[in-house]
Amino acid sequence: MRFAGQAGTAIAITLLLSTALFPIYWMVITALRPKSVTMVWPPQLLPDLNSLSLSTITTLLQDGPILGWAWNSLLIALMTTVAVVFVSTLAGYALSRAQGGAARGLGTVILVAKMLPSTLLVVPLYVMFHGAGLLGGPFAVVLANLAFAAPFATWMMKGFFDSIPTMIEEAALLDGCGHLGALRRVALPLALPGIAAVALYAFILAWNDFLFARTFLPGGANTTLTVGATQFLSETEMEWNRVMAVALLATLPVGAIFLWLQKHFVGNLTRGHN
Amino acid sequence: MLTLVAWPIWLTLNLSLHRVRLFDILRDRPIAFTTANYERLLGDARFWESLATTAIFVVGSVGLAILVGLASALLLERRFPCRGAVRLAVILPWAVPATIGSLVWMFLADGHLGLFNHILLSLGLITEPIAFLVHNEFAMVMVILAHAWHSYPFFTVMLLAALQAIPSELHEAARVDGATTLRRFWHITLPALRNTLVISGFLSVLAAIRDVETILVMTGGGPGRATETLAVRIWSESFRFYDIGFGAAQGCVAFLLSLLLMCFALRRLMRSFWG
């Protein structure tokens, strides 16, 4: 009975693991295979280790538009991160320290804004960016990402500031610090872990963004990696090894951050480990 | 001081970046023109079809994600070797950008070189390859699978955390009293998970309603309009057919629908926000 239970668990875990990992495995393995293997039926599940190489990726990096796409992605993600951190820190601090009904009302507004689907933002933002002459440039995507990420980031920052006792700041105020000084010298250093979390959230969101970049950027050479990867599909006539190579490149930064930080943002996962 | 200064700035910024713009668009256009959009909308069979498609997509993908998430959380809570590594591996789909995940699933479902066909063929379940994404019924199944694959780790993480908060004494007491595994799951585990299930389920439903990436990349709403959800339709109406007014009108309807859902869950969420 006990043995049967354990065997059942083992089978279930194997099933689960293959569901989770197989698509990722297939992406990596396809990206590392030459075209002569990936374009042939039937597909080979297990790779011939000798035929694996980085050649697809290096060729793409040399003569494709990939580097430009990656640069756009990076630029947009970094600018979004800075903007989101700036806005959400100030707003989160203000929300955390303010009292009364107005603060509650504003909190509700954030919460509602957080739940607004990004599709709904796209149309009005398009019109506004058109009016402001921002269409086609990275700033349009950055602003859209900011609009989408700021509410949740503010919510996160509010939580972090809530955990910092106001007494410390009051002491700074008594010693002659202004409000901004108290924020800069006392609250901000204490909230650094929160700021790091918000920065990561913003970076990942902006890096993964498809909709805004697809809508506000002209496409072709001037777009981001995530959008570029999908364009590539039609351009290369289903050369899957090249498509998967771009996909792999687009996954790597976020995947690396995820693995690096897994202990922090999925802390529950390893708790109770024995 | 800071509150007084930063607040209005922030309020303006936040409001201007969000809800207000929806109404700005409507204000920019003559009112008669706006109502024309809505009249067209109500009489448009495609609109109702896309609502139905949205419902199928949302229920299918979120339902599947909850099932897989719950099963994986229950499974991963047990003790077995390398548990930490297995847990990490199971939530790894989370780390793949949604767009990229969709591309990989497209490849798997491909009619010429796709692995699904290979597996089904070698198992003898089908006799000739199926181009999954070009078939009305299969295309929907595929986008649901791809979306569920990407979104179940969220449930795994949330539910695992909730599971670990259940005191083990409860289960032991029930076991002593002779409760079967199923009864213990039904009377102890499930009630303890209810709050987490409701909140994360609600967030996922909203995410699925607004999902454009998966569908736009995999099928573009097709074949025909088989996978054209409301979000995809708003996008293609505005940016493929350039009818921004009509797109915005549908956006407002979608907003109202989301708002209804929000009101349903807002109280609970507000409590966790201010609690």
Side-chain angles (χ1 to χ4, degrees), chain B residues 40-140:
Chain B
R40 188 175 142 206
L41 191 63
L42 290 175
D44 189 359
R46 289 181 60 182
F47 171 70
W48 300 108
E49 278 170 29
S50 68
L51 270 187
T53 313
T54 311
I56 295 173
F57 175 71
V58 169
V59 171
S61 61
V62 176
L64 192 60
I66 289 181
L67 278 183
V68 177
L70 183 61
S72 59
L74 287 171
L75 203 60
L76 294 178
E77 209 224 351
R78 298 187 176 188
R79 290 185 182 185
F80 54 83
C82 309
R83 190 165 68 166
V86 172
R87 284 179 175 180
L88 183 62
V90 166
I91 58 161
L92 211 52
W94 222 6
V96 179
T99 324
I100 304 304
S102 311
L103 278 175
V104 178
W105 277 83
M106 269 183 90
F107 182 27
L108 289 171
D110 188 76
H112 299 293
L113 298 160
L115 205 63
F116 289 157
N117 273 316
H118 176 61
I119 293 171
L120 290 177
L121 279 172
S122 27
L123 289 178
L125 291 175
I126 53 175
T127 48
E128 55 188 68
I130 302 171
F132 288 104
L133 292 173
V134 194
H135 263 267
N136 277 4
E137 311 87 54
F138 291 130
M140 185 48 118

Side-chain angles (χ1 to χ4, degrees), chain A residues 26-48:
Chain A
W26 200 234
M27 168 175 78
V28 176
I29 223 71
T30 309
L32 296 179
R33 280 169 161 174
K35 189 181 166 189
S36 56
V37 178
T38 53
M39 299 302 275
V40 170
W41 185 265
Q44 292 160 9
L45 271 178
L46 292 174
D48 172 11

Side-chain angles (χ1 to χ4, degrees), chain A residues 20-261:
Chain A
L21 293 183
F22 189 78
I24 299 174
Y25 160 80
W26 200 234
M27 168 175 78
V28 176
I29 223 71
T30 309
L32 296 179
R33 280 169 161 174
K35 189 181 166 189
S36 56
V37 178
T38 53
M39 299 302 275
V40 170
W41 185 265
Q44 292 160 9
L45 271 178
L46 292 174
D48 172 11
L49 284 178
N50 295 321
S51 72
L52 294 185
S53 74
L54 290 171
S55 63
T56 316
I57 297 176
T58 45
T59 346
L60 273 176
L61 286 178
Q62 272 157 21
D63 52 32
I66 312 286
L67 275 180
W69 291 344
W71 171 245
N72 281 336
S73 281
L74 192 66
L75 197 70
I76 287 172
L78 286 179
M79 286 198 291
T80 305
T81 308
V82 172
V84 169
V85 165
F86 181 75
V87 171
S88 69
T89 307
L90 288 182
Y93 182 72
L95 264 184
S96 165
R97 294 299 180 249
Q99 302 293 327
R104 277 186 92 91
L106 211 60
T108 316
V109 173
I110 300 183
L111 211 55
V112 171
K114 167 183 157 37
M115 291 182 243
L116 278 184
S118 52
T119 339
L120 302 191
L121 280 175
V122 172
V123 176
L125 284 180
Y126 188 88
V127 173
M128 296 205 67
F129 292 153
H130 175 70
L134 285 173
L135 274 188
F139 283 112
V141 185
V142 170
L143 282 176
N145 281 330
L146 171 67
F148 189 56
F152 185 63
T154 305
W155 191 358
M156 282 166 82
M157 280 316 297
K158 178 191 173 289
F160 283 109
F161 282 122
D162 281 347
S163 66
I164 301 172
T166 48
M167 283 205 310
I168 306 178
E169 286 159 64
E170 279 156 14
L173 287 177
L174 278 181
D175 289 345
C177 242
H179 270 279
L180 271 174
L183 171 64
R184 197 167 58 88
R185 287 165 209 264
V186 181
L188 274 192
L190 287 171
L192 264 185
I195 293 177
V198 166
L200 274 169
Y201 164 73
F203 184 89
I204 293 178
L205 188 127
W207 180 273
N208 288 356
D209 162 65
F210 170 80
L211 188 63
F212 295 137
R214 171 81 177 74
T215 314
F216 300 142
L217 293 180
N222 187 4
T223 187
T224 59
L225 260 183
T226 43
V227 180
T230 62
Q231 283 181 5
F232 222 55
L233 197 59
S234 42
E235 277 170 24
T236 58
E237 284 161 358
M238 307 277 172
E239 256 182 61
W240 285 107
N241 58 329
R242 303 183 70 191
V243 178
M244 289 298 119
V246 184
L248 182 59
L249 288 175
T251 311
L252 279 179
V254 173
I257 293 176
F258 185 85
L259 288 178
W260 175 46
L261 285 176

Side-chain angles (χ1 to χ4, degrees), chain B residues 163-176:
Chain B
L163 275 179
Q164 281 162 350
I166 303 176
S168 55
E169 291 84 10
L170 275 179
H171 278 288
E172 274 153 31
R175 202 176 299 141
V176 169

